[in-house]
Amino acid sequence: MKKIRLGMIGCGNRQIGHMYGVEEFPGAEVVCVADPIEERRKAAAARMGCSRLYRDHNELLDNESLETLDALIIAVEPTAHIDLETRVVKMGIPFLVEKPMTLNLDEARQIAKDVEASGLITAVGFQDRYLDLIEIVRDELSKHSPGGLVYGSWVGDIPSVWWWQKKSTSGGQLVEQSIHLVDGLRYLFGEPLSVYATASRGIVKPGETASAEYDTDDHSTVVYRFKNNFTATLVSGCYSRDVRPRNGLYITLDDMVLDYRLRSNLIITTAKETRDIPLRMEPIFSLDHAFFNAVLTGDKSLIRSDYPDALKTLEMAFAANRSMESGQVIYFDEKE
Ligand SMILES: NC(=O)c1ccc[n+]([C@@H]2O[C@H](COP(=O)([O-])OP(=O)(O)OC[C@H]3O[C@@H](n4cnc5c(N)ncnc54)[C@H](O)[C@@H]3O)[C@@H](O)[C@H]2O)c1
């Protein structure tokens, strides 16, 4: 069987997850890796058994082409995308890129246009779309007339990567982390009408409970209204230490509650019964394997969020950031 030849750009925390995805897929192999941090690219190459190592994405793209690889997995920090996907699209190489795809919306819009024009296979790391539990939620929603309230939460501590501590290098928690829930809302309830958001600081102490550079929001509250009569309140916080608050989406319908506990289980409650359904799959494998199969077969329908689709979620998250800064309601289309 022909294996797809993969290149990995960025060999940090997240790419390690994708390495498991490759190892679990007999039809894929990694042929080259790139990372400015020597020990990371060496460790990745040793683990994946490849001998072509590059100092960064430019060096990789200068030396590789569709002759030598079939697809790329890109997992770099949010500010490191400069020119990256633009070059990859021009070279016609299918790619999977981690969310947030960039912090530069203009750049993302141009890349989305170029991807659409070229018909290139792309995927974005919204792995929760591939969860069996989310499929069950979608199925239940399809049996109900639309409308209801949703409470979402992602509250925890500060991730260890250096770039997370500054809003200018991470985009803030909503754009970097809770964007998985923002995407979940879009996947479940469709396109938004408007957003209003607030944010606050003062709990986390830079230099004491975070790095001295910490300047991101400690918590935010975002209200998205959707065209199909759902309204969601999404809270995010990174001030919580030593405990694990319960996170996920709590969806209230006219005769049912869908309590999706983040990447763990789904509790469905009706007047007649309560069902607790555990997660049965590893989401990153499903995302990676959908992408690999799409590249192998050319079947783009296997991918649940490609670059142009993911741009809509990125726009939703950035609109919430704008509302946090201005105190204004942001409308996505015309006024309601
Ligand atoms: N889908 C998910 O659930 C999920 C989970 C964690 C992180 N992420 C996303 O993955 C991305 C990476 O996060 P991370 O935790 O791995 O960060 P990280 O800092 O651990 O790794 C990023 C790596 O990219 C390398 N890099 C930077 N510029 C590069 C370039 N020009 N060429 C090649 N390599 C370069 C860095 O040296 C670093 O090793 C972020 O966008 C993050 O939001 C997604």
Side-chain angles (χ1 to χ4, degrees):
M1 178 183 159
K2 182 182 170 286
K3 288 193 173 190
I4 53 168
R5 300 160 302 169
L6 296 165
M8 290 186 151
I9 296 183
C11 302
N13 295 324
R14 182 56 178 169
Q15 196 70 273
I16 291 170
H18 292 296
M19 291 176 201
Y20 285 110
V22 175
E23 287 162 351
E24 292 289 319
F25 191 87
E29 62 179 336
V30 175
V31 294
C32 59
V33 296
D35 197 297
I37 300 173
E38 186 181 5
E39 63 185 26
R40 289 193 180 173
R41 63 175 179 265
K42 280 190 172 164
R47 172 168 174 177
M48 303 316 289
C50 74
S51 55
R52 307 204 298 269
L53 286 72
Y54 301 107
R55 281 192 298 271
D56 63 14
H57 73 278
N58 278 320
E59 197 184 28
L60 183 149
L61 297 176
D62 288 345
N63 287 281
E64 303 283 342
S65 69
L66 272 180
E67 305 272 296
T68 57
L69 49 77
D70 301 305
L72 286 163
I73 305 180
I74 303 166
V76 298
E77 56 257 29
T79 49
H81 291 272
I82 312 148
D83 217 18
L84 203 170
E85 292 78 15
T86 310
R87 281 196 73 183
V88 173
V89 176
K90 275 196 189 118
M91 293 170 72
I93 305 172
F95 66 92
L96 185 165
V97 62
E98 273 305 339
K99 42 47 65 179
M101 306 93 84
T102 172
L103 300 186
N104 181 335
L105 266 183
D106 288 338
E107 181 189 49
R109 289 174 186 140
Q110 188 56 52
I111 293 165
K113 269 190 200 154
D114 294 345
V115 165
E116 260 169 1
S118 66
L120 195 66
I121 294 174
T122 59
V124 174
F126 289 126
Q127 76 230 36
D128 301 63
R129 284 192 179 217
Y130 299 81
L131 292 181
D132 48 2
L133 299 180
I134 294 296
E135 271 172 29
I136 298 169
V137 173
R138 267 167 69 95
D139 185 49
E140 291 297 342
L141 287 173
S142 72
K143 295 180 206 154
H144 284 78
S145 52
L149 293 170
V150 183
Y151 326 121
S153 66
W154 194 307
V155 180
D157 57 6
I158 303 169
S160 59
V161 282
W162 66 268
W163 47 265
W164 211 93
Q165 312 259 337
K166 289 186 74 62
K167 200 164 183 178
S168 58
T169 48
S170 67
Q173 188 179 3
L174 190 78
V175 165
E176 198 285 330
Q177 192 172 53
S178 323
I179 196 166
H180 284 295
L181 292 181
V182 175
D183 187 65
L185 293 175
R186 235 193 93 235
Y187 192 50
L188 296 172
F189 306 114
E191 300 306 325
L193 274 173
S194 64
V195 61
Y196 173 71
T198 63
S200 184
R201 299 179 187 186
I203 307 171
V204 177
K205 305 279 179 247
E208 290 177 36
T209 52
S211 76
E213 295 78 38
Y214 177 93
D215 71 355
T216 198
D217 302 314
D218 297 346
H219 60 80
S220 68
T221 301
V222 182
V223 180
Y224 286 111
R225 291 191 63 204
F226 289 86
K227 291 180 182 169
N228 67 353
N229 200 21
F230 278 94
T231 298
T233 306
L234 179 56
V235 299
S236 304
C238 62
Y239 57 84
S240 174
R241 291 177 288 137
D242 307 325
V243 286
R244 290 182 68 83
R246 202 179 80 208
N247 291 319
L249 293 174
Y250 189 85
I251 302 163
T252 62
L253 305 175
D254 52 357
D255 62 353
M256 175 178 279
V257 171
L258 296 156
D259 181 0
Y260 164 62
R261 300 188 175 190
L262 193 66
R263 299 171 184 170
S264 162
N265 59 321
L266 170 69
I267 302 170
I268 303 180
T269 308
T270 62
K272 285 194 194 128
E273 60 167 1
T274 295
R275 277 190 295 149
D276 189 344
I277 308 163
L279 181 71
R280 292 207 173 81
M281 64 201 307
E282 174 50 62
I284 194 167
F285 294 166
S286 324
L287 161 70
D288 286 343
H289 296 181
F291 175 66
F292 301 157
N293 279 320
V295 173
L296 275 170
T297 62
D299 181 0
K300 284 198 237 171
S301 70
L302 298 170
I303 289 165
R304 299 194 179 166
S305 185
D306 63 6
Y307 198 103
D309 176 80
L311 173 63
K312 294 181 189 164
T313 296
L314 195 63
E315 299 263 16
M316 264 178 85
F318 272 109
N321 270 7
R322 288 204 301 285
S323 179
M324 285 175 210
E325 284 150 24
S326 67
Q328 303 294 311
V329 178
I330 308 285
Y331 295 94
F332 289 92
D333 298 327
E334 275 108 49
K335 294 234 171 210
E336 293 170 88

